Amino acid sequence: MGSVQIVTTILAAGITAVAVWLAVRAVMKMTAVIRLGQPAPERFADKGARTRKMLVETAGHTRMLKWGVVGAAHWFVMVGFIVLSLLVLEAYFEVVTPTGGLPIIGHWTVFGLATEIITVLGLVGILVLMAIRLQNRPNRPGGRSRFTGSTMWQGYFVEWIVLLVLIFGLVIRGFKVATDHFEYPVWATPVSHAVGAILPDWSDGASVAALIKIVISMTWLIVISLNVTMGVAWHRFLAFPNIFFKRDPEKPAGSGLGPLRPMTSEGKPLDFEEADPEKDQFGVAQVEQFTWKGLLDFSTCTECGRCQSQCPAWNTGKPLSPKLLVLSLRDHAYAKAPYLLAGGGKDLTGEEKATQAQLAHLDVLSLAEGDKPLIGTAEEGGVIDPDVLWSCTTCGACVEQCPVDIEHVDHIVDMRRYQVLIESSFPSEAGVMLRNLENKGNPWGAPQNTREDWTKGLDFEVPRVGEVDDFEYLFWVGCAGAFEDRAKKTTRAVATLLNEAGVSFAILGEGETCSGDPARRIGNEFVFQMLAQQNVETLNEAFEGREKAKRKIVATCPHCFNTLGNEYGQLGGEFEVVHHTQLLAHLVSTGKLTPVQPVDGGVTYHDPCYLGRHNRVFAAPREVLGDAIQGEITEMPRNSERSFCCGAGGARMWMEEKIGKRINVDRVEEAMATGAKTVAVGCPFCSTMLNDGVNGKGAGEQVEVVDVASVLLRSVKPEQPRGDKESTPVAG
């Protein structure tokens, strides 16, 4: 060992010791913060499925690759980080001796070939990512960026570290080539040999370059250890457990899509018959009341902004960015952690849990963070502004796009639950909807005895449950389908098509009440459970004696479809629920319905969030429309899993849109740009919102918004009247 190697070895050991000590301290701090969260025992179930999903999503990059070039570049960088960590380890042998290398595998030609390929592809990948970050920098001309609000220096820092580590890996090899100490042939490592051809024959060069590589790597570790909220770096470690502990590992897309998490207290579902607000947690009022998985979510955020770029609220000038919401909760949690770890915090009655002695050593900033309201205006010092909380449509675009499976919608609804149930704080106009649900069983407040009025004038009898001995499908009409004028046309069209196809079905009529979706999404779990339990009892009675496979329900509203199929199971209601477009597609494919006249003028299709993104029903409505027009539909740029919300979800249907551009107008402009004369929908909320948008643009005579079922009916029975597309919805 020469004098140079003595120095390089000492320096490498010193900086590594400091970095490892700081990293251990950082990991312990993060673990302590995450453990402050509430229990979530269900996250440990089905470890085999969780492991498989985690490996598929990480190694296969299944979510990132949806972004094409970005995903591929990130995959090469990720593989480079994991595999080339072996070359960082090898550098510790090289600081000791310039001819050093990894024991055993370090001399295998296949190892040299593999690391050469990964290094080159990693270099290409990181350069692509750097270019994309620069191209989309927040201060660039031309509008908002998905990186707006991200901590940009951290992103640049991580990217430059990766680039320099890869470059110095080649420099080390180059010096070995130049001094004739390289063990791999030219065919396996051509780039390393090319670098060696331009480097001098310096015997200590490999050791010095190895030290620089170690210093760069350990500087990265030191910086991220001193910044535990640096998600752009920590996500490469935290993504693995965050994906492993996702809510439902068997889901094909985002784990937080479809049903909401039930309200829990101390890790157990809340029983409203016995719940006590002074003893049981009602939603989330403090950051430590999120589950530990929620705190892990916040810690894992990469600040990539994919959620932000797809969010309808953000894209129309609302204050909500799913990314910034998560970052605010993350920063608040870590700033409040010293206070909480010292024993501080408020109990469910709002009283301080810690003694003065426990809090005496804390700094003023930690104590101040403990006094911040989780929801509050800037003047109130709130962490999350109320306008941010109530801008969410629960469309799930953020969850769909998140590469590390953060469950934004669950967290937003948990905060809404506390605001509604305990604080009675929510947009005033939504109060009318909630009162109507409680008193009338529907959000419009329409009389219950008018639920069957849509059947009047049909040329066939619509059977009721209890009036027929048997039926194959229970037709869940829904509140909109029963009371809202446009939606009633869809209801009649579906009933007519089912009758035409010879499908045996029955309705509940006045026995049906609201599914509870708007109450649950706004945060009123109590009203949801009241309605849901009533419906589950009614449905179980209607299906008495049938096995689940024969307890079939067809629904025209995706919100009812999602609630009945995905959430009623939490209350003992197990049913096979299909959307009407799925049933119609089946009836056409089996020849029970035959389109005879093409619908002309061009058709584009708007994917409802709760049908498409939340429940992955993309093909069926397109198949029906394709058969009806006997051709291809014209797709909007944002379609399928990236469809843009109509603005009605999350109970926004009953709230005024006072900030920014109206979401429905943004979507209508996109639909009209296709040139299609018909905008087909599969949801009554979407129908209302897009119709209002079309009329607001003064295009009611040129463009028609109509349900998929009505489009099919016009093709199957061309003599059917088109109806009045300017109908006014029932007032609420």
Side-chain angles (χ1 to χ4, degrees):
M1 181 185 289
S3 58
V4 171
Q5 282 70 43
I6 292 173
V7 173
T8 55
T9 301
I10 292 172
L11 291 175
I15 194 169
T16 301
V18 172
V20 170
W21 177 74
L22 289 173
V24 169
R25 190 182 70 166
V27 169
M28 291 176 65
K29 179 178 180 178
M30 294 176 76
T31 303
V33 171
I34 291 167
R35 292 183 65 183
L36 287 169
Q38 300 302 303
E42 73 280 1
R43 304 285 182 169
F44 294 92
D46 207 354
K47 294 183 177 63
R50 293 181 180 279
T51 302
R52 287 192 300 273
K53 178 60 75 172
M54 183 265 290
L55 292 174
V56 167
E57 283 198 19
T58 53
H61 247 44
T62 52
R63 297 171 74 78
M64 283 292 296
L65 287 174
K66 294 177 181 178
W67 286 74
V69 173
V70 178
H74 190 276
W75 187 85
F76 289 129
V77 172
M78 181 201 72
V79 171
F81 176 80
I82 295 172
V83 176
L84 299 182
S85 296
L86 291 172
L87 296 187
V88 175
L89 176 61
E90 187 175 51
Y92 286 93
F93 292 91
E94 291 160 341
V95 294
V96 177
T97 172
T99 60
L102 284 175
I104 306 176
I105 65 172
H107 301 286
W108 294 354
T109 299
V110 68
F111 177 73
L113 173 63
T115 50
E116 184 89 350
I117 293 172
I118 292 170
T119 297
V120 172
L121 293 177
L123 277 169
V124 173
I126 196 62
L127 288 171
V128 168
L129 294 181
M130 292 173 81
I132 290 171
R133 187 177 292 272
L134 287 170
Q135 185 182 15
N136 291 279
R137 64 192 184 280
N139 60 352
R140 81 196 196 290
R144 286 179 164 184
S145 159
R146 65 183 174 94
F147 292 118
T148 299
S150 297
T151 316
M152 294 301 288
W153 77 261
Q154 295 180 353
Y156 293 134
F157 171 77
V158 168
E159 288 168 346
W160 273 101
I161 289 289
V162 172
L163 180 64
L164 291 173
V165 167
L166 291 170
I167 289 173
F168 274 92
L170 288 173
V171 171
I172 295 169
R173 288 185 163 191
F175 275 120
K176 287 186 174 182
V177 170
T179 56
D180 201 25
H181 290 126
F182 198 48
E183 52 268 87
Y184 308 124
V186 176
W187 68 264
T189 53
V191 178
S192 296
H193 278 83
V195 173
I198 60 175
L199 290 177
D201 181 1
W202 180 25
S203 59
D204 295 325
S207 293
V208 173
L211 173 63
I212 295 173
K213 182 175 181 176
I214 289 170
V215 169
I216 293 170
S217 300
M218 292 304 108
T219 298
W220 173 79
L221 189 56
I222 289 169
V223 170
I224 73 168
S225 297
L226 295 174
N227 294 273
V228 290
T229 59
M230 193 171 175
V232 69
W234 281 107
H235 84 271
R236 61 188 59 195
F237 305 112
L238 297 178
F240 296 96
N242 207 56
I243 294 171
F244 180 88
F245 288 115
K246 63 161 61 183
R247 176 145 59 91
D248 185 353
E250 298 292 357
K251 278 200 169 181
S255 173
L257 294 172
L260 287 171
R261 285 182 66 250
M263 276 183 66
T264 60
S265 181
E266 294 295 327
K268 299 176 182 177
L270 203 61
D271 182 350
F272 277 94
E273 292 184 1
E274 301 178 359
D276 181 351
E278 294 189 1
K279 298 178 182 177
D280 297 301
Q281 180 179 316
F282 278 55
V284 169
Q286 305 289 336
V287 73
E288 65 272 19
Q289 291 178 348
F290 287 105
T291 66
W292 61 261
K293 174 56 169 65
L295 295 177
L296 178 59
D297 271 357
F298 309 152
S299 303
T300 307
C301 179
T302 73
E303 302 191 26
C304 67
R306 285 174 179 79
C307 58
Q308 182 171 285
S309 70
Q310 302 295 304
C311 176
W314 176 261
N315 277 287
T316 53
K318 315 292 189 292
L320 168 64
S321 157
K323 176 187 72 177
L324 298 181
L325 178 139
V326 165
L327 298 187
S328 297
L329 292 171
R330 178 197 69 188
D331 294 345
H332 173 58
Y334 280 87
K336 189 178 181 180
Y339 162 71
L340 295 171
L341 292 170
K346 305 293 192 296
D347 63 21
L348 294 174
T349 64
E351 296 296 318
E352 175 59 57
K353 292 188 287 187
T355 64
Q356 286 297 322
Q358 287 176 298
L359 303 180
H361 69 285
L362 294 178
D363 61 58
V364 175
L365 293 178
S366 294
L367 290 171
E369 203 72 31
D371 288 331
K372 280 187 176 182
L374 189 65
I375 306 298
T377 63
E379 292 75 17
E380 296 166 337
V383 179
I384 304 297
D385 191 276
D387 284 336
V388 170
L389 186 67
W390 297 109
S391 292
C392 180
T393 67
T394 69
C395 71
C398 50
V399 179
E400 170 75 40
Q401 292 299 326
C402 182
V404 292
D405 276 304
I406 293 172
E407 297 162 5
H408 312 72
V409 174
D410 281 340
H411 304 321
I412 288 171
V413 173
D414 272 340
M415 290 186 284
R416 286 182 170 188
R417 284 166 167 167
Y418 180 83
Q419 294 300 304
V420 172
L421 293 172
I422 302 300
E423 297 291 337
S424 295
S425 177
F426 50 87
S428 57
E429 61 269 23
V432 177
M433 177 267 291
L434 290 173
R435 287 192 296 274
N436 285 337
L437 286 177
E438 287 190 75
N439 300 327
K440 299 289 188 176
N442 69 84
W444 282 279
Q448 185 71 357
N449 62 9
T450 63
R451 267 197 182 268
E452 299 179 36
D453 283 2
W454 65 269
T455 63
K456 295 176 181 177
L458 291 174
D459 56 6
F460 57 92
E461 190 71 24
V462 177
R464 281 79 177 161
V465 171
E467 296 178 359
V468 289
D469 295 332
D470 195 20
F471 55 89
E472 184 179 3
Y473 286 95
L474 188 149
F475 182 13
W476 182 272
V477 176
C479 299
F483 301 123
E484 203 269 337
D485 285 346
R486 296 185 187 104
K488 283 197 282 187
K489 295 194 180 92
T490 301
T491 308
R492 292 165 64 88
V494 171
T496 301
L497 289 166
L498 294 183
N499 182 70
E500 182 77 11
V503 175
S504 171
F505 71 96
I507 62 171
L508 289 172
E510 294 183 27
E512 183 180 303
T513 191
C514 180
S515 67
D517 165 85
R520 189 169 224 198
R521 265 70 197 169
I522 203 173
N524 197 325
E525 186 74 5
F526 177 78
V527 170
F528 164 74
Q529 294 221 10
M530 177 186 74
L531 295 168
Q533 286 170 352
Q534 179 181 336
N535 282 326
V536 166
E537 184 178 339
T538 300
L539 290 168
N540 282 339
E541 184 179 336
F543 288 123
E544 189 173 3
R546 297 194 192 190
E547 59 190 58
K548 181 181 177 181
K550 294 183 179 179
R551 296 156 67 92
K552 297 179 182 179
I553 298 174
V554 58
T556 57
C557 175
H559 298 266
C560 296
F561 166 69
N562 178 70
T563 302
L564 271 62
N566 294 329
E567 296 184 336
Y568 276 16
Q570 299 169 3
L571 300 169
E574 296 290 339
F575 314 108
E576 289 290 337
V577 187
V578 298
H579 189 252
H580 71 282
T581 58
Q582 293 175 297
L583 181 53
L584 295 178
H586 170 71
L587 295 175
V588 172
S589 67
T590 54
K592 293 183 178 179
L593 288 174
T594 305
V596 294
Q597 180 171 312
V599 176
D600 55 14
V603 175
T604 190
Y605 174 64
H606 164 77
D607 287 273
C609 300
Y610 273 85
L611 181 64
R613 190 156 40 237
H614 278 280
N615 285 285
R616 322 313 291 174
V617 179
F618 301 120
R622 287 174 168 81
E623 290 169 4
V624 173
L625 291 171
D627 288 325
I629 67 175
Q630 298 181 21
E632 295 292 325
I633 66 172
T634 305
E635 292 284 8
M636 287 183 258
R638 294 177 291 192
N639 64 77
S640 302
E641 67 270 11
R642 290 194 187 178
S643 178
F644 197 69
C645 182
C646 74
R652 290 291 323 173
M653 178 84 168
W654 292 275
M655 299 182 227
E656 290 296 326
E657 197 169 345
K658 301 173 182 176
I659 304 173
K661 183 179 182 181
R662 293 183 67 86
I663 294 172
N664 61 332
V665 171
D666 192 295
R667 186 56 165 170
V668 160
E669 289 174 351
E670 184 175 5
M672 291 174 62
T674 65
K677 299 303 181 185
T678 300
V679 180
V681 296
C683 170
F685 291 3
C686 297
S687 176
T688 295
M689 298 299 284
L690 298 188
N691 261 299
D692 289 351
V694 166
N695 293 335
K697 299 289 289 184
E701 295 301 319
Q702 294 80 44
V703 178
E704 182 183 20
V705 180
V706 66
D707 191 88
V708 171
S710 295
V711 176
L712 179 61
L713 183 60
R714 292 172 188 174
S715 180
V716 171
K717 302 182 74 172
E719 73 280 3
Q720 286 288 315
R722 294 176 70 87
D724 176 15
K725 40 182 200 186
E726 301 292 335
S727 299
T728 304
V730 174

